[in-house]
Amino acid sequence: MAVGLFALTRLLGAAAVAVVARSAGKQPMGLLGRSWDSLWYLGIASHGYGRTLRFPPDLVYSDLAFFPLYPALVRAVSALTPLEGAPAGLVVAWTAAGVAAWGIYRCGELLYGRAVGTVLVVLWGLLPHSVVLSMGYTEPLLTAFAAWSLYAVLRGHWVRAGALAALAGLSRPNGFAVAAAVVAAAAWEVWRRRGRNVSHRLWTGAALAPLGWTAYVLWVGHRKGDLLGGYFEVQRGWGSTFDLGRGSLRFVRHLVLQGDRLVFATVLVIVAAAVVLYALLLLERAPLPLLVHSGVLMLIVLGGSGFFESKPRFLLPAFPLLLPLALALVRTARARPWHATVVVGALAGLSFGYGAYLVAVADTPL
């Protein structure tokens, strides 16, 4: 039921995009499958790495900034089916989104029961930027590996958790948040047992977790001639740095004092809401791996500078942030069902309307 409800939310969201796109004279499938980062991934899938664009004064956009697992899967789908390019990318993304929804449900069910697991998935599908889950982007893939890795940690399946974390690390730059969660949980378990009777499977899982992310970063470093710093040089070329949030604060100051586009104001509200939700997650005493995973993703968003408008997208894999809302909505549904229905309906309207605006009207990088 949870996966079915998630699929319904995304179908309705895609339908909203289609209606708005058609009214604007645009092709919906082109917008979903060939927008912004999707074009870079499709280029890697078709031709491999090696594309670089230069913009004055000092921007150097290299495709080495994009991690390899998603384009590899797109290429595999193209080789095994009649689909090529954007349709293959959408198949990978949509399949990953469904697997992610299933994994999110299992995490919620394990911790708080079926109702919370189902509501958690629905809320994830109705986030303001959930339209990205219907596009040829890598957030569905990362969330799928993250959800199932965290579920494996919660069940004590360490090797599986580590292997899935390694795959998460090959999906996106912020995929190392999953490895951090697995390693932190393993370290806590070792400390709790005072180092006694620790299974070799725990050590194996902890060792596997960071391998995917580390391998790609070192490969890029080797290719750039700077083993440890090459990948971060590539990110700086895109204008993406970790400066403890100084660049973001300067932009927020500009936004507050001078104003700017609706997209940027919405981003500010979403990031502020995420901070509040993380505080509530801490008060809820959520399991350590969920706190570490979401905390690392929050740290990247708050401390990183670059594409300010992309910050909500970077938070999509941080689904544990929605647990306090899911718990509250389930309590509301049991006491006042119509109140919960109105809340979900309002969230759906905002999600579908804003998602269609982002993709078909705003013309802003996601």
Side-chain angles (χ1 to χ4, degrees):
M1 180 181 292
V3 177
L5 289 172
F6 171 77
L8 178 62
T9 65
R10 295 316 330 133
L11 284 172
L12 293 174
V17 170
V19 170
V20 175
R22 292 291 186 187
S23 67
K26 300 177 180 179
Q27 292 295 324
M29 293 304 291
L31 292 174
L32 293 176
R34 298 183 61 83
S35 292
W36 306 107
D37 288 4
S38 302
L39 293 171
W40 287 91
Y41 285 115
L42 293 177
I44 296 168
S46 298
H47 310 295
Y49 287 98
R51 183 186 181 199
T52 300
L53 299 179
R54 299 179 183 275
F55 300 93
D58 55 1
L59 292 178
V60 181
Y61 291 175
S62 168
D63 58 9
L64 292 172
F66 298 92
F67 277 52
L69 186 55
Y70 175 75
L73 291 174
V74 173
R75 189 163 188 163
V77 170
S78 298
L80 297 174
T81 71
L83 300 175
E84 293 184 357
L90 289 174
V91 166
V92 173
W94 293 347
T95 302
V99 174
W102 183 20
I104 291 170
Y105 167 76
R106 293 303 297 271
C107 288
E109 178 200 33
L110 178 65
L111 294 172
Y112 300 105
R114 293 183 178 180
V116 172
T118 300
V119 171
L120 184 64
V121 170
V122 171
L123 289 175
W124 186 62
L126 294 179
L127 287 171
H129 277 64
S130 60
V131 67
V132 172
L133 304 175
S134 300
M135 300 176 68
Y137 271 70
T138 52
E139 274 69 23
L141 189 65
L142 171 57
T143 309
F145 289 125
W148 285 103
S149 179
L150 293 172
Y151 178 74
V153 169
L154 294 173
R155 295 292 304 273
H157 299 156
W158 295 102
V159 175
R160 188 183 309 166
L164 290 168
L167 292 171
L170 287 171
S171 303
R172 282 195 51 75
N174 55 353
F176 74 85
V178 188
V182 174
V183 171
W188 170 255
E189 187 68 14
V190 171
W191 183 87
R192 188 178 67 84
R193 298 189 181 192
R194 301 294 190 271
R196 304 187 188 94
N197 300 319
V198 178
S199 168
H200 68 90
R201 301 181 69 82
L202 182 148
W203 296 110
T204 302
L208 286 173
L211 288 185
W213 187 88
T214 303
Y216 183 70
V217 168
L218 292 178
W219 179 79
V220 173
H222 174 73
R223 183 159 172 162
K224 298 291 291 184
D226 181 359
L227 190 63
L228 298 180
Y231 175 77
F232 304 101
E233 177 190 342
V234 169
Q235 286 287 0
R236 285 191 295 273
W238 281 81
S240 297
T241 59
F242 188 82
D243 60 1
L244 298 178
R246 288 191 295 273
S248 294
L249 286 175
R250 285 195 296 269
F251 187 83
V252 169
R253 183 175 181 273
H254 154 78
L255 186 61
V256 172
L257 296 180
Q258 302 177 31
D260 211 307
R261 302 175 63 185
L262 171 64
V263 170
F264 298 117
T266 306
V267 168
L268 183 59
V269 172
I270 291 171
V271 173
V275 173
V276 173
L277 289 175
Y278 189 70
L280 292 175
L281 192 67
L282 289 169
L283 293 174
E284 193 64 40
R285 296 183 179 180
L288 178 64
L290 303 188
L291 293 174
V292 173
H293 170 67
S294 300
V296 172
L297 291 173
M298 286 291 300
L299 182 63
I300 294 169
V301 165
L302 295 174
S305 292
F307 292 91
F308 189 81
E309 60 272 36
S310 298
K311 290 183 183 293
R313 174 166 65 87
F314 300 158
L315 286 172
L316 282 174
F319 66 90
L321 293 176
L322 299 172
L323 275 171
L325 288 182
L327 289 165
L329 192 56
V330 167
R331 288 193 293 267
T332 301
R334 288 169 178 167
R336 298 179 178 86
W338 280 108
H339 291 198
T341 302
V342 170
V343 170
V344 172
L347 291 175
L350 290 170
S351 174
F352 302 154
Y354 187 65
Y357 167 76
L358 278 178
V359 175
V361 178
D363 194 30
T364 301
L366 287 171

